[in-house]
Amino acid sequence: MAAAAANAPIVMKEVFTLPSIGINQQFITFNNVTMESEKYICVRETSPQNSVVIVDMSMPMQPLRRPITADSALMNPNTRILALKALLPGTTQDHLQIFNIETKTKVKSHQMPEQVVFWKWISAKMLGLVTQTSVYHWSIEGDSQPVKMFERTANLANNQIINYKCDPSEKWLVLIGIAPGSPERPQLVKGSMQLYSLDQQRSQALEAHAASFASYKVPGNENPSTLIVFATKSMNAGQVTSKLHIIELGAQPGKPGFTKKQADLFFPPDFADDFPVAMQMSQKYGLIYVVTKLGLLFVYDLETASAVYRNRISPDPIFLTSEAASAGGFYAINRRGQVLLATVNEATIVPFVSGQLNNLELAVNLAKRGNLPGAENLVVQRFQELFSQTKYKEAAELAAESPQGILRTPDTVAKFQSVPVQSGLTPPLLQYFGTLLTRGKLNAFESLELSRLVVNQNKKNLLENWLAEDKLECTEELGDLVKTVDTDLALKIYIKARATPKVVAAFAERREFDKILIYSKQVGYTPDYLFLLQTILRTDPQGAVNFALMMSQMEGGCPVDYNTVTDLFLQRNLIREATAFLLDVLKPNLPEHGFLQTKVLEINLVTFPNVADAILANGMFSHYDRSRVAQLCEKAGLYIQALRHYTDLPDIKRVIVNTHAIEPQALVEFFGTLSREWALECMKDLLLVNLRGNLQIIVQAAKEYSEQLGVDSCIKLFEQFKSYEGLYFFLGSYLSSSEDSEIHFKYIESAAKTGQLKEVERVTRESNFYDAEKTKNFLMEAKLPDARPLINVCDRFGYVPDLTHYLYVNNMLRYIEGYVQKVNPGNAPLVVGQLLDDECPEDFIKGLILSVRSLLPVEPLVEELVAYRRGQCDDELINVTNKNSLFKLQARYVVERMDGDLWEKVLNPENEYRRQIIDQVVSTALPESKSPEQVSAAVKAFMTADLPHELIELLEKIVLQNSAFSGNSNLQNLLILTAIKADSSRVMDYVNRLDNFDGPAVGEAVNVLLDNIESIDRAVEFAFRVEEDAVWSQVAKAQLRAGLVSDAIESFIRAEDSTQFLDVIRASEDADVYHDLVKYLLMHGKLIAQRLGRKFVFACVDAEEFRLAQICGLNIIIQVDDMEEVSQYYQNRGCFNEMILLDGKWLSEHAMNSSTGKNSHILYIQYDEFDNAAVTVMNHSPEAWDHMQFKDVVAKVASVELYYKAVHFYLQEHPDLINDMLNVLALRLDHTRVVDIMRKAGNLYLVKPYMIAVQSNNVSAVNEALNEIYVEEEDYDRLRESIDLHDNFDQIGLAQKIEKHELLEMRRVAAYIYKKAGRWKQSIALSKKDKHYRDAMETCSQSGDRELAEELLVYFIQEGKNECFAACLFVCYDVIRPDVALELAWMNNMIDFAFPYLLQFIREYTGKVDELIKDKIEAQKEVKAKEQDEKDVIAQQ
């Protein structure tokens, strides 16, 4: 039995058993186990808990068990996707779900309206669903729902569906069911099948127990045919027949078709009631497997329906099978849980068929079809028979299909070659090769022989096609053959044949060197790189460079040493190529490459110095021999590089003198690398060799490195060579940051000695750090033709006499006149004094004095006075003026000097002329002064000298009389306080006459009136004037002490002062004035009631007794201020309704008080109480306000705050008249504050007329407000006018605000503002953007910036604005350089547009030259005339 099993054509193998992996026997049933493919088995368990077990056939002993409740579970044929089906409780509907086990996500789900009785994966993407009536397909892709395919036919009614399949094209569908047999033999199960055509939309009902689809290629038809194979076992007329049917579906018109075939299924007697349950196809071997319920296996040939094998493969019933496509067999599962694998025994099936079955043709076909052994002799024998019968085509086909290629040998090729070629017929050899090509790929020998034939016939295109279709086996020999006709095709063959040396050689021949490296790396080949490089060098030097570079980038490093590669290039004098290679490979700048770095620099310094210079400048190397490179650089004339590499001072000094060959800036930078001592040494050498030629370099270096070298050292260097020009340029860059007097002096000195007189004049005028004495002496010694520098020094530092003497002695009288008249007229007395000392002609002095006569007295002693005044000799001046009774002049001098010591001298009690000088100070000198400092100094001096009476005289003069200081509150207070101390009788008069005193003066004044003057009447008058409670209280107390009880009570009432009620009551009782006492007590009670009333109201509110609070408020609260306090108390506690009720009633009952306000303001006006009048009018405006009257009142108020209260009042109640009121107060108002008030109220437009009226004051807030209004109104004319006339505003802010304004003229204004602010570039950019080219030109011209003007020219050229280019040349005529203008015009073909400018330029310069020539000729004539005069004088002598 073992031997028989070993020789059986079909091998059965138990893979594993389901119980061995924990599956209970009760669940090994058709309803619980599913196997949709050879990959997975799925088992549904219901105890001990509901679960699904997934068995992966690649590792069956590691099942995956998941707690899932379902009626059925199917694993996808290819992927780990699980489909579950469960009946919804209480319904006949199934809920379908699909899950991805790997991602643990639900793919989709659907609720079927009816129960699914069978389902199956018909493909990897499609589920087939069978219900009692219909069949559906449900795709797992997208959101699609099940699609109905067809309805079940009647023959399947009441059948158990056991299988559902579709062909690969899904156009043919078959549904199989079984049902109990006929009544005569019910145990013979009846099988029914429904075949459905999707294209025809038609079904056919057949009897069958098992069915499957197959694909078969009929000879002569290139398209495979679809076959349906089904097995039946039925009883007809008492006879049981079992058949296997093979039928073609959808025959192809005009094409050979498959002939319908059938065969008997022989069941042994023991298996009379057995029936087929499953059918599987083996496409690999072309076999049909039919499995019965009781374990019988029938094997048939698909092509012929010939029986191959029959045997029982399982003693237990088989209920499930699945195709094992990879093995060409099938899996089967029986009731015992065995998982069986049936496969073809490749070693025995052919001998079995040929021997046991004696079916030689089937044996050969099986061998060919499955490439199986065992039919070699048969195939060879058959081949010989066909060949001998001259059936070459059939022989060729047999050889092509021979199993395991036993006939595809050189002998077979030789056999076909030996056949004589008959005329008009295809040679047998070509028939053979043609047959091979249709069957597949040729072997190496066949490919070579066929290609030789094609090459000989020059049909290269056939080779290309066969290679593209992979019909030929590529070998090195084939490549050699093809190379004779096509190198590209040969290369492809070499690559496919992995003939690596030939591939490398081919790439080299094609100069595709990069591919050599890539290919070698891919195949792991190591070519002879040195040989390849030498080969490439002979024909393609640049290619050799590229190849060498590619080698350098290989993993593991370059296979050829860098130095060897370099030498190969140098041996052929390929310097540039060697350089290119080395520069690339030496980029990492590694220390070990120092030799190669030196080498690349050496070879280039000798042959191509410019290349070496570029390499050194790039700084890519740092490990080369620097001393060697320095020597070579010097020899090559690369002096700056030599300097950078030499490290010894003698070498550097030797090289550095070659400044003619060194770029100046590079040399300057080199100095920065030297030490201080070496740098100074090199500078000395340069100046010593060529002072004039090297001076600029030395100056630039000194400027750049002044901190490193030391400013003093640089100065000494220039002085050592007496290079004042160098000193001038050096110190010029350092001057602005230095406060060293010596540096400033040396700069002045060097500028003077180099003729830079304008610079001398500027520095002497602006600098504050030079030594004035030293500079003055130098300038006098230098005797410059321009005396302005000396004038600056002497004028600033008090050397006017020396200046005058120098100018007079050197006959520079016009400079004396210019100094006195234009520079400093105030120093005319000093100038005149020195001129007198120098015995200057009287006429010149008188003319000079008359030119500045307003500063000099014309008295007889003017010369002496000026002489003393020149040195500020106070004592001498006082003596002279005292001696000559010039007290007015002395008083003016003392006031102007503002010197405390001088004041002390003249106000000294021992000074016999003190009274006279005081009189002149009081009457003339101080009233004439407009300086607050002078007045302050004088007042302080009088107070220090303890002269109160004289101080009163002084203050009366400047305060009471109409002077610049009449309204000064401090001086008024001082006058009153001084009078209080010195002469109290004058206090009341001052109080009546002064209007701007305050503070302590008021209190002191009333005390003086009461205590010192003891005039109660005057005190009462004063109290009425100031109308202050404190003053009335003081007066009342004095009246009470004097026994004037009634008057005192009235005063206490005015002051609302009830603090002295006990004294008042006692005095009233003594004086028997009870009537007045009642008034006082009523006032006292009223005040108390008001205070207590408010507290009572507050208490009522807190207790929520609002009615009591209202009664109290209406009867006790009198004043509006008190009522406001009560209202606020209500609000703070949230009692808004009660507050509104109280306020309404209080206002209605106290409305009569308004008449009091209306009348009281008239009384205030009558008594000149304008502040109270204004307040009253504003508080009672409905009855008291009259515009004309209020204007008069508010103009006279003293409190500044009332002005702004009036502004708010008019803004709220009379906005239409606010400008009229503001104009009245214009001189008193702070315009900035008014603008702020209106801006916060959002009513700037309302006061526009007022702001226009006061804009002449040039207040920033007013200007900005008006400009803002003009911008909003888009009134660009008024805006430009405002900007021109009033410049106190944020110019840049306004420009930025309107530079993007939608109105063009507004943007022009923005450009104009930028221009006024000196922001030339922004102005020009804005003008160019808006195409206001004229504005841009004018801005350039005003800027005086040459660069801006020339940039504008370039812009016009770029924009093609030729006319603008021409216009710009004239508008910016003084700024643009002629050479630049002409160069731009010439380069851009615009000479015609520049020609007018050129003419103007030539005319102007011609005129200048003519003037110079004329001046020179006249000068020569004057010289000749002078020489002739001298000759005549000599001749006369």
Side-chain angles (χ1 to χ4, degrees), residues 1270 1274-1284 1303 1305-1306 1309:
Y1270 295 147
E1274 297 185 349
D1275 190 348
Y1276 48 81
D1277 290 329
R1278 294 297 298 273
L1279 179 60
R1280 185 182 283 263
E1281 179 184 348
S1282 172
I1283 292 167
D1284 282 334
L1303 195 64
E1305 287 298 326
M1306 281 295 181
V1309 173

Short mmCIF file of all heavy atoms in Angstrom, two decimals, residues 1270 1274-1284 1303 1305-1306 1309:
data_model
loop_
_atom_site.label_atom_id
_atom_site.label_comp_id
_atom_site.label_asym_id
_atom_site.label_seq_id
_atom_site.Cartn_x
_atom_site.Cartn_y
_atom_site.Cartn_z
N TYR A 1270 -8.21 119.63 6.45
CA TYR A 1270 -7.98 119.81 5.01
C TYR A 1270 -7.83 118.47 4.30
O TYR A 1270 -8.28 118.29 3.16
CB TYR A 1270 -6.73 120.66 4.77
CG TYR A 1270 -6.88 122.09 5.27
CD1 TYR A 1270 -5.78 122.79 5.77
CD2 TYR A 1270 -8.12 122.74 5.25
CE1 TYR A 1270 -5.90 124.10 6.23
CE2 TYR A 1270 -8.25 124.04 5.71
CZ TYR A 1270 -7.15 124.73 6.20
OH TYR A 1270 -7.27 126.01 6.66
N GLU A 1274 -10.21 116.99 1.53
CA GLU A 1274 -9.46 116.88 0.27
C GLU A 1274 -9.20 118.26 -0.33
O GLU A 1274 -9.18 118.44 -1.56
CB GLU A 1274 -10.20 115.98 -0.71
CG GLU A 1274 -10.34 114.55 -0.21
CD GLU A 1274 -10.98 113.62 -1.22
OE1 GLU A 1274 -11.50 114.15 -2.24
OE2 GLU A 1274 -10.96 112.40 -1.00
N ASP A 1275 -9.00 119.26 0.55
CA ASP A 1275 -8.70 120.63 0.11
C ASP A 1275 -7.17 120.76 0.06
O ASP A 1275 -6.54 121.27 0.98
CB ASP A 1275 -9.30 121.62 1.11
CG ASP A 1275 -9.23 123.07 0.58
OD1 ASP A 1275 -8.52 123.29 -0.41
OD2 ASP A 1275 -9.88 123.95 1.19
N TYR A 1276 -6.60 120.26 -1.04
CA TYR A 1276 -5.13 120.21 -1.12
C TYR A 1276 -4.51 121.59 -1.27
O TYR A 1276 -3.37 121.81 -0.87
CB TYR A 1276 -4.70 119.29 -2.26
CG TYR A 1276 -5.40 119.53 -3.58
CD1 TYR A 1276 -5.01 120.55 -4.44
CD2 TYR A 1276 -6.47 118.72 -3.95
CE1 TYR A 1276 -5.67 120.75 -5.63
CE2 TYR A 1276 -7.14 118.93 -5.14
CZ TYR A 1276 -6.73 119.95 -5.99
OH TYR A 1276 -7.37 120.17 -7.17
N ASP A 1277 -5.26 122.56 -1.84
CA ASP A 1277 -4.70 123.92 -1.96
C ASP A 1277 -4.50 124.55 -0.59
O ASP A 1277 -3.44 125.12 -0.29
CB ASP A 1277 -5.63 124.79 -2.81
CG ASP A 1277 -5.62 124.37 -4.28
OD1 ASP A 1277 -4.56 123.87 -4.73
OD2 ASP A 1277 -6.64 124.53 -4.96
N ARG A 1278 -5.54 124.46 0.27
CA ARG A 1278 -5.41 125.03 1.61
C ARG A 1278 -4.38 124.26 2.43
O ARG A 1278 -3.67 124.84 3.26
CB ARG A 1278 -6.77 124.99 2.32
CG ARG A 1278 -7.83 125.88 1.69
CD ARG A 1278 -7.45 127.37 1.74
NE ARG A 1278 -7.30 127.86 3.08
CZ ARG A 1278 -8.30 128.33 3.83
NH1 ARG A 1278 -9.50 128.38 3.33
NH2 ARG A 1278 -8.08 128.79 5.05
N LEU A 1279 -4.31 122.96 2.20
CA LEU A 1279 -3.34 122.14 2.92
C LEU A 1279 -1.91 122.56 2.58
O LEU A 1279 -1.07 122.73 3.45
CB LEU A 1279 -3.54 120.66 2.60
CG LEU A 1279 -2.56 119.68 3.26
CD1 LEU A 1279 -2.66 119.77 4.78
CD2 LEU A 1279 -2.83 118.26 2.80
N ARG A 1280 -1.65 122.77 1.29
CA ARG A 1280 -0.30 123.19 0.88
C ARG A 1280 0.00 124.59 1.42
O ARG A 1280 1.12 124.87 1.88
CB ARG A 1280 -0.20 123.17 -0.64
CG ARG A 1280 1.20 123.49 -1.16
CD ARG A 1280 1.22 123.51 -2.67
NE ARG A 1280 1.21 122.18 -3.22
CZ ARG A 1280 2.31 121.53 -3.62
NH1 ARG A 1280 3.50 122.10 -3.46
NH2 ARG A 1280 2.24 120.34 -4.14
N GLU A 1281 -1.00 125.46 1.42
CA GLU A 1281 -0.81 126.82 1.95
C GLU A 1281 -0.49 126.76 3.46
O GLU A 1281 0.41 127.45 3.95
CB GLU A 1281 -2.07 127.65 1.70
CG GLU A 1281 -1.98 129.07 2.24
CD GLU A 1281 -3.29 129.83 2.06
OE1 GLU A 1281 -4.18 129.34 1.33
OE2 GLU A 1281 -3.42 130.92 2.63
N SER A 1282 -1.22 125.90 4.18
CA SER A 1282 -0.97 125.75 5.62
C SER A 1282 0.44 125.23 5.87
O SER A 1282 1.14 125.71 6.77
CB SER A 1282 -2.00 124.79 6.21
OG SER A 1282 -1.70 124.48 7.55
N ILE A 1283 0.87 124.27 5.07
CA ILE A 1283 2.21 123.70 5.24
C ILE A 1283 3.29 124.75 4.97
O ILE A 1283 4.30 124.83 5.67
CB ILE A 1283 2.37 122.48 4.30
CG1 ILE A 1283 1.47 121.35 4.77
CG2 ILE A 1283 3.82 122.02 4.24
CD1 ILE A 1283 1.32 120.25 3.75
N ASP A 1284 3.07 125.57 3.95
CA ASP A 1284 4.07 126.59 3.59
C ASP A 1284 4.20 127.66 4.67
O ASP A 1284 5.31 128.09 5.00
CB ASP A 1284 3.68 127.25 2.26
CG ASP A 1284 4.02 126.36 1.08
OD1 ASP A 1284 4.95 125.55 1.22
OD2 ASP A 1284 3.38 126.47 0.03
N LEU A 1303 -6.42 110.45 -3.71
CA LEU A 1303 -6.40 111.66 -4.53
C LEU A 1303 -4.96 111.97 -4.91
O LEU A 1303 -4.07 112.06 -4.06
CB LEU A 1303 -7.02 112.83 -3.74
CG LEU A 1303 -7.40 114.06 -4.57
CD1 LEU A 1303 -8.50 113.71 -5.57
CD2 LEU A 1303 -7.91 115.18 -3.66
N GLU A 1305 -3.49 114.71 -6.00
CA GLU A 1305 -2.91 115.96 -5.49
C GLU A 1305 -2.51 115.82 -4.03
O GLU A 1305 -1.57 116.46 -3.57
CB GLU A 1305 -3.93 117.11 -5.65
CG GLU A 1305 -4.12 117.57 -7.09
CD GLU A 1305 -2.83 118.12 -7.69
OE1 GLU A 1305 -2.04 118.73 -6.93
OE2 GLU A 1305 -2.60 117.93 -8.89
N MET A 1306 -3.21 115.00 -3.29
CA MET A 1306 -2.82 114.76 -1.90
C MET A 1306 -1.47 114.05 -1.84
O MET A 1306 -0.63 114.36 -1.00
CB MET A 1306 -3.89 113.92 -1.20
CG MET A 1306 -5.10 114.72 -0.77
SD MET A 1306 -4.68 115.95 0.50
CE MET A 1306 -6.29 116.68 0.79
N VAL A 1309 1.17 116.49 -2.34
CA VAL A 1309 1.46 117.25 -1.11
C VAL A 1309 2.39 116.43 -0.21
O VAL A 1309 3.30 116.97 0.41
CB VAL A 1309 0.15 117.60 -0.37
CG1 VAL A 1309 0.46 118.24 0.98
CG2 VAL A 1309 -0.69 118.54 -1.21
#
